[in-house]
Amino acid sequence: MPELPEVEVVRRGLESHVLHRTVRAVEVLHTRPVRRHLAGPADFAARLTGRTFTAARRRGKYLWLPLDTGDALLAHLGMSGQMLVQPVGAPDERHLRVRFRFADDGPELRFVDQRMFGGLSFTAGGADLPVEIVHIARDPLDAAFDDARFVARVRKRRSGIKRLLLDQGLISGVGNIYADEALWLARLHGERPGDRLRRAEVESVLAGAREVMAQALGEGGTSFDALYVNVNGESGYFDRSLQAYGQEGRACSRCGTAIVRVAFMNRSSYFCPVCQPRPRARRTS
Ligand SMILES: [Zn+2]
């Protein structure tokens, strides 16, 4: 699944390739990716045809392209979605779902999605912030992210810190991989309850999340060429620098203890049992 740094790489790619370009035609090859547009695919296409993209924005893992009308095209990549910029006439991808042709006859924008958990929608008046995503918190790379507010909110919650890191209402863009990496950096076990953490511990895990995201962004930012705006759902380019996630049985690079994997919300959590000791059980009162 694309994590925030990869979505940011896509946003930057869109910013350099589709801004100030006017849509000449929209071709919906499969209806599922536009299922959230209740008026149907033909209406979706009609509302975007003739419009010009004026920016490329992101909140968490959502992307949106504001239009010259003040409306916007909202996109979520889901598990396997890709935004590709391809030359006109390039062979269709096997999982091509939506194609945007431009009035300048330049490269097309293509939405390719094998599993189709992602999708596109037209959002009326959504240029500044689509109504569909107002409930999503800012991400820690966002200049307007409020650190003090995040720390205070975490310290009022009884849930484990990993679960809180994945709560899009508190902080967005931290997926399973980045949560495990941030917790390893902060030397915190994911089951440590928010209301038992010291302020400095929450600040430390927030700094860890920023560090691992910034590192991934640095690597991802160099992994795509000028015409190919791509998200690799496997995020293979980043695997080599992971310290905890996916490292079961390998030595922790700080203390040498084998990294452990446990089940977590239908997925897995990876941590060092020495650097990140389990919390003691909460005393029942
Ligand atoms: Zn360790």
Side-chain angles (χ1 to χ4, degrees):
M1 186 186 304
E3 300 248 5
L4 181 141
E6 294 143 322
V7 180
E8 173 61 15
V9 168
V10 173
R11 189 199 67 75
R12 291 176 184 181
L14 291 170
E15 193 170 62
S16 40
H17 294 295
V18 306
L19 250 54
H20 313 304
R21 298 182 67 199
T22 300
V23 176
R24 179 164 59 80
V26 181
E27 192 182 346
V28 178
L29 293 104
H30 197 297
T31 56
R32 184 162 158 74
V34 298
R35 63 195 175 279
R36 290 186 190 89
H37 190 77
L38 301 178
D43 186 77
F44 172 81
R47 286 176 185 275
L48 290 160
T49 302
R51 302 277 68 91
T52 302
F53 294 127
T54 59
R57 296 192 175 139
R58 180 183 60 74
R59 178 163 290 195
K61 295 188 193 175
Y62 283 88
L63 294 163
W64 75 99
L65 296 169
L67 305 171
D68 53 342
T69 50
D71 306 316
L73 171 66
L74 179 64
H76 193 280
L77 302 174
M79 299 286 286
S80 55
Q82 296 174 300
M83 290 283 210
L84 305 179
V85 176
Q86 294 280 45
V88 174
D92 286 1
E93 292 74 13
R94 182 167 169 215
H95 302 293
L96 177 61
R97 307 305 185 193
V98 181
R99 183 202 323 269
F100 297 84
R101 290 191 169 92
F102 292 94
D104 58 17
D105 288 325
E108 305 174 347
L109 176 63
R110 298 179 179 184
F111 182 72
V112 174
D113 193 356
Q114 180 181 357
R115 300 179 65 184
M116 295 197 283
F117 291 110
L120 303 176
S121 57
F122 172 87
T123 172
D128 288 337
L129 180 64
V131 65
E132 294 87 342
I133 58 172
V134 290
H135 62 286
I136 295 182
R138 292 181 188 275
D139 66 70
L141 298 182
D142 189 323
F145 186 89
D146 186 339
D147 288 25
R149 181 161 182 264
F150 172 74
V151 171
R153 290 178 75 193
V154 164
R155 296 183 71 217
K156 288 191 180 113
R157 301 273 292 269
R158 292 178 63 124
S159 303
I161 181 64
K162 177 160 179 186
R163 196 175 281 259
L164 296 174
L165 287 172
L166 299 176
D167 181 341
Q168 302 280 296
L170 281 176
I171 183 170
S172 67
V174 183
N176 202 39
I177 299 174
Y178 296 103
D180 280 3
E181 293 298 297
L183 289 165
W184 183 87
L185 283 168
R187 303 179 190 229
L188 292 176
H189 191 286
E191 288 170 18
R192 295 275 302 276
D195 64 358
R196 295 286 186 88
L197 292 172
R198 284 177 284 122
R199 186 183 311 273
E201 289 175 319
V202 184
E203 287 168 350
S204 170
V205 77
L206 183 56
R210 284 201 174 104
E211 184 178 328
V212 71
M213 285 175 165
Q215 185 189 359
L217 202 50
E219 296 183 20
T222 58
S223 73
F224 68 101
D225 67 31
L227 268 186
Y228 194 72
V229 183
N230 193 5
V231 157
N232 179 348
E234 301 302 313
S235 64
Y237 66 82
F238 190 51
D239 288 349
R240 64 182 175 277
S241 45
L242 294 175
Q243 298 286 350
Y245 185 86
Q247 308 300 307
E248 183 181 17
R250 293 198 196 151
C252 167
S253 68
R254 267 191 311 242
C255 75
T257 308
I259 297 290
V260 169
R261 180 178 69 86
V262 295
F264 174 81
M265 293 170 73
N266 298 322
R267 288 180 285 177
S268 296
S269 284
Y270 298 86
F271 61 95
C272 171
V274 171
C275 296
Q276 301 166 265
R278 276 183 184 282
R280 284 189 295 268
R282 192 184 285 268
R283 221 178 289 157
T284 49
S285 51

